[in-house]
């Protein structure tokens, strides 16, 4: 059986053997702090989504177990997941989530205390006498009492208790005069105090009458619950668990707390930033931020140890040199995002293998070791852009020849305006190499969250350009075809690039063929501004069931365009696709049969002097009514038109431009010749 996997497991690491990002150093320092700090104390492990907070908690728990293996009585470790307790509850019912989590945590404590009474001599640890266990769990004054109370105390009561305890309510109003509109909640304040006292007794019994001197509570995934609920949890736990010999370790993202406090402080801004920070500081005495910034030194380890799933040699230099930089720029070092890139890349490559094996005619490429390496790099970079900057990826899919981007051909395609351009302060020396960078910066500036990462996006595109370029700094047609294949493949790992959800095959204005021709129209209008093409209209489609043809009419400015009429045609029987042109000089009336043949033959002769690639050279036909047809016959089945659009675009658009240039430059003279 093959040992090559197909995906990287996204589960948090469970032990230090898989600590490729070297967080064990930080966990050891934290562990020393946790085991020796004065209590009570709360430590906050701060970090964004996927930054490794749960993995760090697992390393800390592993460290506590290592103390146990030394035969010492370790701190009692209790772990709860806030997200699990928020599942299957209403977003509006914060009290239910807080109450469930509190009850769950108390039950976990109870279970740990029960375990202390079992025989632990094999581990060299002391067994707690049953009378001490019973005393700690006493149903009237101990932990069992606290568990019973936790099931009946609401969130509002906990929050009011926190206010009173914190001195934010006048002393003479503590039990009867606070917020008269909610007397029922005030009545629960005494029960909150009773809960805290019962818990305090249980902890005191264990830490003062046994060799187990400390409890360490890990609360994970607080940043996955609703922000308002997360704040409720913090308020309640701060009020109840401020108990000697207890250490709380919370995994949370500060931004979640900020959102949860907006109802109290309003939107965070420079004027009230201190209020948010003060709240955070009251809850968490010692913050620890996940060292994502230092991951850059170790990303090679992570990628090297996971890239084997692609069937590659992890020691190849290009893996480290090219992929690490792109991974860091696109994900800012977030491990989960890097794993997502690798997994998506793995799926795409396996699908690509099957496509090439099943139907090699779908690609004119002959893969060699050299361009296989280029293709792998391209897939990694494209996936990185797509996952982390989807709006930028859409632009690349609309026009993959990014090195030719400029404001003229991208203004309409990307929805850019002169106002967007005027906001940029970038230097433009007028060169082609600077023009595409300016367009990219302009696109980034329009996307709020991407704006601050525009430099990273540019560096990723420079890396993409470096992969495509040959030694003489040229980008070959074959490398662009590789890029097109990569862009086609990225659709299979996309949530938001799939157009199939908008297609209705029963509607001629909204089926696959129309979508394809509309996309060709959108690209072409940015490439041939001299034609004066207008944007797609609402009534530019026609179908002939008898002839099994589809016509897509193109409208152009009469003042600019040299053409009288234009259209696309799709022939369902042969899967042929034509661009059709009638020039203004065709005049009125039909051509004779001899004149028609003469124009057609002369056009065929001149065809060779225009830039048609061998794989997309059209058949030219001239009709007696003055229409010139350029027909491409090597088109895929209509079901693949959108799936393979980027590859088709790369092949068709240059030939279509040449067809229009031929029509403009030659057809007028030919018509004059025969009229």
């Amino acid at each position: 059986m093959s040992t090559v996997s197909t995906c990287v497991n996204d589960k948090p690491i469970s032990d230090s053997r898989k600590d490729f990002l070297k967080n064990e150093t930080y966990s050891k320092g934290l562990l020393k702090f946790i085991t020796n700090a004065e209590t009570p104390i709360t430590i906050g492990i701060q970090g964004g989504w996927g930054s490794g907070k749960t993995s760090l908690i697992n390393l800390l728990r592993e460290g506590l177990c290592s103390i146990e293996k030394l035969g010492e009585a370790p701190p009692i470790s209790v772990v709860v997941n806030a997200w699990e307790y928020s599942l299957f509850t209403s977003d509006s019912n914060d009290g239910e989530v807080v109450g469930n989590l509190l009850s769950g945590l108390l039950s976990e404590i109870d279970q740990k205390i029960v375990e202390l009474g079992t025989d632990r001599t094999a581990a060299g640890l002391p067994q707690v006498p049953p009378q001490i266990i019973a005393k700690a769990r006493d149903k009237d004054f101990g932990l069992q009492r606290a568990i019973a109370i936790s099931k009946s105390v609401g969130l509002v009561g906990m929050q009011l208790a926190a206010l009173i305890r914190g001195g934010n309510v006048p002393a003479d109003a503590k039990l009867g005069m606070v917020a008269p509109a909610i007397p029922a909640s005030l009545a629960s304040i005494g029960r909150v105090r009773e809960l805290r006292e019962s818990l305090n007794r249980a902890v005191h019994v264990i830490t003062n009458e046994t060799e187990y001197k400390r409890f360490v509570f890990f609360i994970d995934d607080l940043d996955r619950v609703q922000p308002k609920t997360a704040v409720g949890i913090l308020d309640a736990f701060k009020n109840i668990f401020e108990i000697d010999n207890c250490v709380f370790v919370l995994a949370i993202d500060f931004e979640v707390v900020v959102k949860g406090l907006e109802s109290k402080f309003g939107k965070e801004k420079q004027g009230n930033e201190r209020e948010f920070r003060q709240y955070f500081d009251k809850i968490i005495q010692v913050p620890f931020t996940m060292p994502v910034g230092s991951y850059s030194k170790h990303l090679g380890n992570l990628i090297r140890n996971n890239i084997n799933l692609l069937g590659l040699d992890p020691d190849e230099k290009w893996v480290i040199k090219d992929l690490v930089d792109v991974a860091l720029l696109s994900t800012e070092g977030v491990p989960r995002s890097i794993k997502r890139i690798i997994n998506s890349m793995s799926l795409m490559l396996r699908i690509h293998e099957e496509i090439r094996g099943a139907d090699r005619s779908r690609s004119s490429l002959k893969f060699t070791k050299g361009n296989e390496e280029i293709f792998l790099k391209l897939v990694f970079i494209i996936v990185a852009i797509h996952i982390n900057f989807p709006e930028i990826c859409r632009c690349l899919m609309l026009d993959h020849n990014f090195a030719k981007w400029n404001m003229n051909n991208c203004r309409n395609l990307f929805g850019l305006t002169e106002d967007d351009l005027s906001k940029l302060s970038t230097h433009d020396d007028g060169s082609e190499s600077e023009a595409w960078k300016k367009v990219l910066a302009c696109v980034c500036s329009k996307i709020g969250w991407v704006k601050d990462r525009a430099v990273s996006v540019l560096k990723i595109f420079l890396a993409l350009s470096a992969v495509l370029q040959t030694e003489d700094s040229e980008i070959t047609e074959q490398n662009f075809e590789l890029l097109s294949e990569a862009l086609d493949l990225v659709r299979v790992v996309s949530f938001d690039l799939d157009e199939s959800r908008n297609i209705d095959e029963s509607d001629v204005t909204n089926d696959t063929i129309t979508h394809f021709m509309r996309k060709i129209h959108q690209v072409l209008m940015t490439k041939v501004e001299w034609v004066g093409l207008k944007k797609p209209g609402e009534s530019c489609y026609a179908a002939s069931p008898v002839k099994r043809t589809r016509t897509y009419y193109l409208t152009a400015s009469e003042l600019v365009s040299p053409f009288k009429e234009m259209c696309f045609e799709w022939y369902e029987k042969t899967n042929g696709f034509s661009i059709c042109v009638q020039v203004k000089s065709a005049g009125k009336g039909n051509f004779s049969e001899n004149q028609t043949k003469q124009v057609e033959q002369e056009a065929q002769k001149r065809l060779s002097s225009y830039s048609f690639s061998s794989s997309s050279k059209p058949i030219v036909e001239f009709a007696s009514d003055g229409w010139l047809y350029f027909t491409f016959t090597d088109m895929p089945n209509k079901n693949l038109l959108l799936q393979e659009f980027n590859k088709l675009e790369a092949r068709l658009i240059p030939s279509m431009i040449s067809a229009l240039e031929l029509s403009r430059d030659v057809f007028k003279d030919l018509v004059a010749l025969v009229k």
Side-chain angles (χ1 to χ4, degrees), residues 224-244:
R224 286 196 178 190
V225 304
Q226 291 293 321
K228 186 179 177 183
T229 304
V231 170
I233 292 171
L234 291 176
D235 284 339
F237 279 53
K238 177 66 175 176
N239 179 51
I240 292 171
F241 282 89
E242 198 161 310
I243 297 172
D244 288 343

Side-chain angles (χ1 to χ4, degrees), residues 38 58 70 414 443 475 501 543 556:
E38 289 190 8
N58 289 343
L70 294 175
F414 299 163
V443 172
I475 300 178
R501 73 189 75 175

